[in-house]
Amino acid sequence: MDPHGLDPRDHQLSHKASQETFISLVQLDPEPIQDLYQDDGPDFDPTRDASPSEDAAEGGSLANSIHSLKSSGSGGAAGGVGLNNMTPLGLSGSGHGAIYYLTRIQRYSSYTFSLFASLHLATTSVIPLLARSVPASESYLLLAREIYQTPLSEPLLVALPIVAHVGAGLLARLLRRRENLRRYYGAGDEKTHMGLGITKPTARFLRSGWPRLSWIALSGYGFTAVVAAHAFMNRGLPLVVEGDSANIGLAYVAHGFVRHAWTSWAAYAALLGIGCGHMVWGWAKWFGVSQGAGWVLERHTGVPEVDRKARRKRRRRLIWINAVAAAATAVWAAGGLGVVARGGETLGWVGKVYDGLYDKVPLF
């Protein structure tokens, strides 16, 4: 027993609790600095007006800051946060900027598209995998089309969510660049960055103001391209050439794998791989998991035990997200490439219709 009446176990428990608190604080992503470099962190809004402390740091007085807040509360400053609108915690209920709403549009549009993607996965992969036959699976695909390919449901479940998701992401990226230039990099010169130990190419990139292109955003652009090509081949081209797509189904895809094997395998491998990767990582981002995933620890604390635990946690998240993405790709490929792609050539006049459609595409 300690002569001063203190139990050594209390000191150990206190030290352990302090260490766990320190670990949790170290692992927090530093907003808004993180958002300057990448398209993560949907809750951060770099377009919000500066707080009174930021105004004072830029040379303004406290009186001017209070006056600007009062003016915004009376409608004098557009987009400002008024004193009358402040909550007891000092938070505003209406001080969100454009990027906040764009990220919400991007998020909720992905929910809608995920409903279509799940239904499409079931009819083009899971059911063919269970039925082990293309002809036996065609009726389920035709039944699903009555849900997502009507004049009302197709724009709402497919077209509009894609346009909203991609458009909101691009516009938010442009707004982030504008805010980065205005707030942080507009006045920075190359010598200043070089003095901080930043290489010349990195300094040029920082001064350009563009947020870092994350893997989620990069895969999203690739997924947009392959989805557009897939929609053109299976929906747009038949409508233009034949006037409808009633004869287009799993047999049409199987016919393409027989007549144009290399192109079909490459196109569908890209569609499944990029698509499943983007959607799984996107959902991980919405759940707040992807922000802490990585193989290398980006910020070191100098405490070996803390850094080791943080590194293990980041790597576990990375492995789990990639494992889910790989599993989703494998399920889709098992039915889509393992069954549908091996369905064989369609004969007769329907086969000639398929050949005529594929002949219209130069790459085929």
Side-chain angles (χ1 to χ4, degrees), residues 145 149 234-235 238-239 243-249:
R145 284 180 176 176
Q149 210 171 81
N234 293 273
R235 185 68 170 144
L239 289 175
D244 60 51
S245 58
N247 294 321
I248 305 303

Side-chain angles (χ1 to χ4, degrees), residues 178-199:
R178 187 191 67 179
E179 292 302 316
N180 289 347
L181 289 174
R182 181 175 67 86
R183 292 188 172 213
Y184 302 98
Y185 303 127
D189 56 8
E190 195 166 300
K191 291 183 179 179
T192 302
H193 289 117
M194 295 297 289
L196 296 174
I198 300 175
T199 61

Side-chain angles (χ1 to χ4, degrees), residues 16 45 72 166 168 216 242 245 250 287 294 300 302 341-342 346:
K16 183 177 180 182
D45 178 19
S72 62
V166 177
I216 298 178
E242 297 294 326
S245 58
L250 300 177
F287 283 113
H300 295 271
R342 301 175 185 275
T346 300

Side-chain angles (χ1 to χ4, degrees), residues 252-262 264-265 341-346:
Y252 172 71
V253 177
H255 188 84
F257 273 94
V258 174
R259 290 299 184 93
H260 310 280
W262 288 104
S264 297
W265 277 98
R342 301 175 185 275
E345 181 182 3
T346 300

Side-chain angles (χ1 to χ4, degrees), residues 81-348:
V81 181
L83 292 176
N84 295 332
N85 295 330
M86 299 290 281
T87 65
L89 295 177
L91 302 176
S92 168
S94 60
H96 300 306
I99 293 181
Y100 176 88
Y101 295 105
L102 287 173
T103 52
R104 265 53 191 178
I105 292 173
Q106 194 176 30
R107 178 170 186 160
Y108 297 130
S109 61
S110 67
Y111 294 174
T112 307
F113 184 78
S114 295
L115 295 176
F116 160 74
S118 301
L119 187 59
H120 202 54
L121 166 65
T123 55
T124 60
S125 178
V126 177
I127 292 177
L129 183 61
L130 296 176
R132 308 298 299 177
S133 171
V134 170
S137 306
E138 289 282 14
S139 58
Y140 296 96
L141 179 62
L142 295 176
L143 181 63
R145 284 180 176 176
E146 296 298 323
I147 300 175
Y148 64 77
Q149 210 171 81
T150 66
L152 179 62
S153 62
E154 189 172 22
L156 293 178
L157 289 178
V158 185
L160 185 59
I162 292 177
V163 173
H165 189 75
V166 177
L170 290 173
L171 187 55
R173 184 171 177 79
L174 292 174
L175 290 178
R176 283 192 178 102
R177 178 178 185 269
R178 187 191 67 179
E179 292 302 316
N180 289 347
L181 289 174
R182 181 175 67 86
R183 292 188 172 213
Y184 302 98
Y185 303 127
D189 56 8
E190 195 166 300
K191 291 183 179 179
T192 302
H193 289 117
M194 295 297 289
L196 296 174
I198 300 175
T199 61
K200 187 177 288 188
T202 304
R204 292 198 202 96
F205 177 75
L206 292 177
R207 288 186 292 110
S208 70
W210 287 109
R212 189 181 68 185
L213 192 64
S214 64
W215 285 110
I216 298 178
L218 186 61
S219 64
Y221 297 136
F223 189 35
T224 302
V226 294
V227 165
H230 180 72
F232 171 76
M233 287 298 303
N234 293 273
R235 185 68 170 144
L237 184 63
L239 289 175
V240 173
V241 177
E242 297 294 326
D244 60 51
S245 58
N247 294 321
I248 305 303
L250 300 177
Y252 172 71
V253 177
H255 188 84
F257 273 94
V258 174
R259 290 299 184 93
H260 310 280
W262 288 104
T263 307
S264 297
W265 277 98
Y268 277 89
L271 177 66
L272 270 58
I274 298 175
C276 291
H278 177 72
M279 287 187 287
V280 170
W281 272 93
W283 276 98
K285 177 180 178 179
W286 298 146
F287 283 113
V289 178
S290 68
Q291 288 84 343
W295 194 255
V296 179
L297 188 63
E298 297 179 352
R299 293 178 295 275
H300 295 271
T301 65
V303 182
E305 184 178 356
V306 173
D307 290 343
R308 190 162 48 249
K309 289 182 178 180
R311 188 184 299 109
R312 282 200 298 264
K313 184 176 181 180
R314 285 176 60 84
R315 290 183 176 181
R316 281 197 302 268
R317 285 190 177 190
L318 178 68
I319 292 172
W320 273 108
I321 296 173
N322 285 331
V324 174
T329 305
V331 170
W332 206 319
L337 301 180
V339 177
V340 177
R342 301 175 185 275
E345 181 182 3
T346 300
L347 304 177

Side-chain angles (χ1 to χ4, degrees), residues 59-78:
S61 63
L62 181 61
N64 292 335
S65 301
I66 297 175
H67 175 71
S68 64
L69 285 174
K70 290 181 177 179
S71 299
S72 62
S74 60

